[in-house]
Amino acid sequence: MEAFRGLFYVEGEFRERYVLVEDGVIRKVSLDPDGSHVTPIPGHVLPGGVDMHVHFRDPGEEKKEDFRTGSTAAALGGTTTVFDMPNNVIPVRDERTFNFKKDAISGKSYVDFGLYQLASEQLIDSATGEKIFLGKSTGGILTDLEKCVWSGKVKVVHSELQECLERNALHPRNLFEHDASRPIECELSGIERVAEYLTENVHIAHVTNVRALSLAKAFGFTTEVTPHHLLLNTSMEIGSFGKVNPPLRKKTVQEELLYNLDLGKVDVISSDHAPHTREEKSEFSTSPSGIPGVETRVPLVLALFKKGNISLAGMVSLLMENPARICRVNKGYIAAGYDADFISVDFNDSRKIRGEDLHSRAGWTPFEGYEGIFPKEVYLRGDLLAQEGEIVGDRRGAFLDGKAK
């Protein structure tokens, strides 16, 4: 048994406590170390971040990212658990393709991870849940809801409806036209469509606007927003580096989404980390959609907390507690029975985000120059993984088997 001493986020506030850890799991949160060896953790200590929506491109597109580089970026940004999407070059829709992917990434990850399957006619016991594409995005996959079978696990929905996208199709040359080609109505139509088939454990990914948030909550769905939809808009001079699906919206829509962040309509902030190379993003009309964000997700939201855009409890719920609960893993809380994943933070130590300092293979960020608060130390299951911006631990990220859910 080892005791960690620090100012831990426990039951809604920071408290001086000893956290007793055995075999990577928190056994007790106490005012006394109970005779255990004590390791002090500096600063304010939060649960490790949980990102339930990443695309690490591995296997098949390792030039963009692989699990080593993606998990390095996650760890250094304060995320200790990720859930990877199934729209790989070889789509993950059955046991064979699932096991192929799992074997290909074995031993690469610094952080714990789960894997989704595409919604299909087969269920994969070990998958975290099913991913539904109601409209074609990068990879061109489209889900036929009538042919799918469903588990009791989370169903993550890309809710832009294909028929709506086809009605509004353009060959966009800039962010304004990309927004027009994939309007808000396509998100609303997708939410209504999925509600015709599914009512439980539905999670609407990367919501871009308050109308879609309200509609999703009316159906009882959980909701997710991304830092890029909270902080970026079509008026910004970022060109194809802001091209993403669903698209960035105009400034008034973006600002309204940010204003509603702490009002109970949003359940999760995920990165939708979807890296492409600089060369691929060089020309707007041919650029694939998607941006990197796993390393900047937590630092950007910590900075929003420091500025007063979100409460402490709201921040922890959106970054850690809710995604862990939705994905049914023992993460996201500093409490007995949960994994000992911690990040230590100095809220007074913010810095400008620069693409050249980040660790995704993409090597760029649309958040160039934004303020971020990066963790000082990162612990995975009780072991020090990162310190002062450097990986100091081993690639011991564990596969989180969905069979247990």
Side-chain angles (χ1 to χ4, degrees), residues 249-276:
R249 304 300 186 189
K250 61 184 180 180
K251 186 177 181 181
T252 54
V253 175
Q254 170 252 311
E255 289 178 338
E256 186 180 27
L257 189 68
L258 181 60
Y259 174 76
N260 278 265
L261 181 59
D262 211 20
L263 299 181
K265 294 181 179 181
V266 179
D267 296 293
V268 171
I269 298 177
S270 293
S271 68
D272 189 14
H273 176 81
H276 300 284

Side-chain angles (χ1 to χ4, degrees), residues 313-347:
M315 175 183 71
V316 176
S317 294
L318 295 173
L319 291 177
M320 294 113 179
E321 295 175 348
N322 289 346
R325 175 180 54 81
I326 291 168
C327 292
R328 303 182 185 181
V329 291
N330 291 327
K331 306 281 189 179
Y333 295 83
I334 300 177
Y338 289 87
D339 285 358
D341 297 354
F342 314 130
I343 61 171
S344 69
V345 173
D346 179 352
F347 287 108

Side-chain angles (χ1 to χ4, degrees), residues 338-386:
Y338 289 87
D339 285 358
D341 297 354
F342 314 130
I343 61 171
S344 69
V345 173
D346 179 352
F347 287 108
N348 293 316
D349 185 16
S350 65
R351 64 177 171 87
K352 298 286 186 184
I353 293 171
R354 301 191 306 169
E356 63 187 45
D357 296 333
L358 301 177
H359 296 81
S360 168
R361 189 161 283 159
W364 59 271
T365 175
F367 300 108
E368 194 77 33
Y370 278 66
E371 290 292 323
I373 299 174
F374 287 80
K376 295 296 185 181
E377 293 184 350
V378 179
Y379 288 80
L380 177 67
R381 287 178 275 114
D383 289 335
L384 184 62
L385 176 59

Side-chain angles (χ1 to χ4, degrees), residues 156-314:
V156 180
V157 184
H158 185 132
S159 70
E160 294 178 289
L161 192 64
Q162 185 63 23
E163 299 97 292
C164 179
L165 296 177
E166 291 173 359
R167 287 196 303 270
N168 291 277
L170 299 170
H171 296 288
R173 299 161 296 179
N174 53 54
L175 292 174
F176 293 100
E177 293 179 358
H178 190 55
D179 179 15
S181 72
R182 307 178 79 99
I184 287 171
E185 286 69 27
C186 296
E187 287 185 71
L188 300 173
S189 298
I191 294 168
E192 291 172 342
R193 176 66 57 84
V194 79
E196 296 173 9
Y197 292 84
L198 297 166
T199 57
E200 296 182 354
N201 301 318
V202 177
H203 179 77
I204 307 300
H206 40 49
V207 175
T208 71
N209 63 93
V210 171
R211 290 169 61 196
L213 282 179
S214 297
L215 181 61
K217 298 309 285 186
F219 286 118
F221 301 158
T222 56
T223 59
E224 163 190 307
V225 299
T226 68
H228 48 271
H229 290 120
L230 288 170
L231 298 172
L232 306 177
N233 60 65
T234 55
S235 299
M236 295 177 173
E237 298 294 328
I238 53 177
S240 58
F241 293 100
K243 186 179 180 183
V244 64
N245 297 335
L248 302 183
R249 304 300 186 189
K250 61 184 180 180
K251 186 177 181 181
T252 54
V253 175
Q254 170 252 311
E255 289 178 338
E256 186 180 27
L257 189 68
L258 181 60
Y259 174 76
N260 278 265
L261 181 59
D262 211 20
L263 299 181
K265 294 181 179 181
V266 179
D267 296 293
V268 171
I269 298 177
S270 293
S271 68
D272 189 14
H273 176 81
H276 300 284
T277 66
R278 282 183 177 275
E279 293 73 24
E280 290 173 311
K281 297 291 276 186
S282 60
E283 174 59 41
F284 196 98
S285 61
T286 58
S287 167
S289 292
I291 61 175
V294 71
E295 190 168 354
T296 52
R297 179 186 72 114
V298 172
L300 285 166
V301 180
L302 291 175
L304 287 176
F305 163 69
K306 182 72 183 297
K307 294 173 185 174
N309 292 98
I310 186 170
S311 66
L312 175 61

Side-chain angles (χ1 to χ4, degrees), residues 11-241:
E11 297 178 348
E13 63 184 24
F14 288 109
R15 304 178 182 187
E16 286 282 356
R17 292 290 186 272
Y18 293 93
V19 175
L20 279 64
V21 175
E22 185 177 33
D23 297 328
V25 177
I26 299 170
R27 300 303 179 191
K28 187 178 182 181
V29 178
S30 174
L31 291 170
D32 191 296
D34 287 350
S36 301
H37 173 267
V38 176
T39 298
I41 301 180
H44 292 78
V45 187
L46 295 161
V50 179
D51 194 340
M52 63 178 288
H53 190 160
V54 304
H55 302 261
F56 278 178
R57 308 297 191 198
D58 196 355
E61 294 181 296
E62 290 88 348
K63 71 175 183 178
K64 301 173 190 273
E65 196 78 278
D66 64 21
F67 250 79
R68 182 187 64 80
T69 57
S71 65
T72 298
L76 293 174
T79 289
T80 54
T81 306
V82 298
F83 294 90
D84 192 67
M85 288 297 168
N87 55 326
N88 296 101
V89 170
I90 299 175
V92 179
R93 28 175 119 249
D94 53 30
E95 291 281 357
R96 180 185 63 82
T97 50
F98 187 90
N99 289 330
F100 173 78
K101 177 173 179 173
K102 182 184 169 189
D103 291 344
I105 63 181
S106 177
K108 290 185 177 181
S109 186
Y110 283 104
V111 301
D112 289 351
F113 64 95
L115 303 175
Y116 294 99
Q117 71 163 97
L118 288 168
S120 71
E121 298 175 44
Q122 296 185 39
L123 286 177
I124 303 169
D125 288 345
S126 292
T128 296
E130 297 91 63
K131 177 64 181 290
I132 298 168
F133 286 94
L134 294 183
K136 292 180 181 179
S137 186
T138 302
I141 293 167
L142 197 61
T143 302
D144 186 342
L145 292 172
E146 293 186 353
K147 294 182 178 179
C148 294
V149 293
W150 308 105
S151 71
K153 304 175 208 176
V154 63
K155 298 146 188 69
V156 180
V157 184
H158 185 132
S159 70
E160 294 178 289
L161 192 64
Q162 185 63 23
E163 299 97 292
C164 179
L165 296 177
E166 291 173 359
R167 287 196 303 270
N168 291 277
L170 299 170
H171 296 288
R173 299 161 296 179
N174 53 54
L175 292 174
F176 293 100
E177 293 179 358
H178 190 55
D179 179 15
S181 72
R182 307 178 79 99
I184 287 171
E185 286 69 27
C186 296
E187 287 185 71
L188 300 173
S189 298
I191 294 168
E192 291 172 342
R193 176 66 57 84
V194 79
E196 296 173 9
Y197 292 84
L198 297 166
T199 57
E200 296 182 354
N201 301 318
V202 177
H203 179 77
I204 307 300
H206 40 49
V207 175
T208 71
N209 63 93
V210 171
R211 290 169 61 196
L213 282 179
S214 297
L215 181 61
K217 298 309 285 186
F219 286 118
F221 301 158
T222 56
T223 59
E224 163 190 307
V225 299
T226 68
H228 48 271
H229 290 120
L230 288 170
L231 298 172
L232 306 177
N233 60 65
T234 55
S235 299
M236 295 177 173
E237 298 294 328
I238 53 177
S240 58
F241 293 100

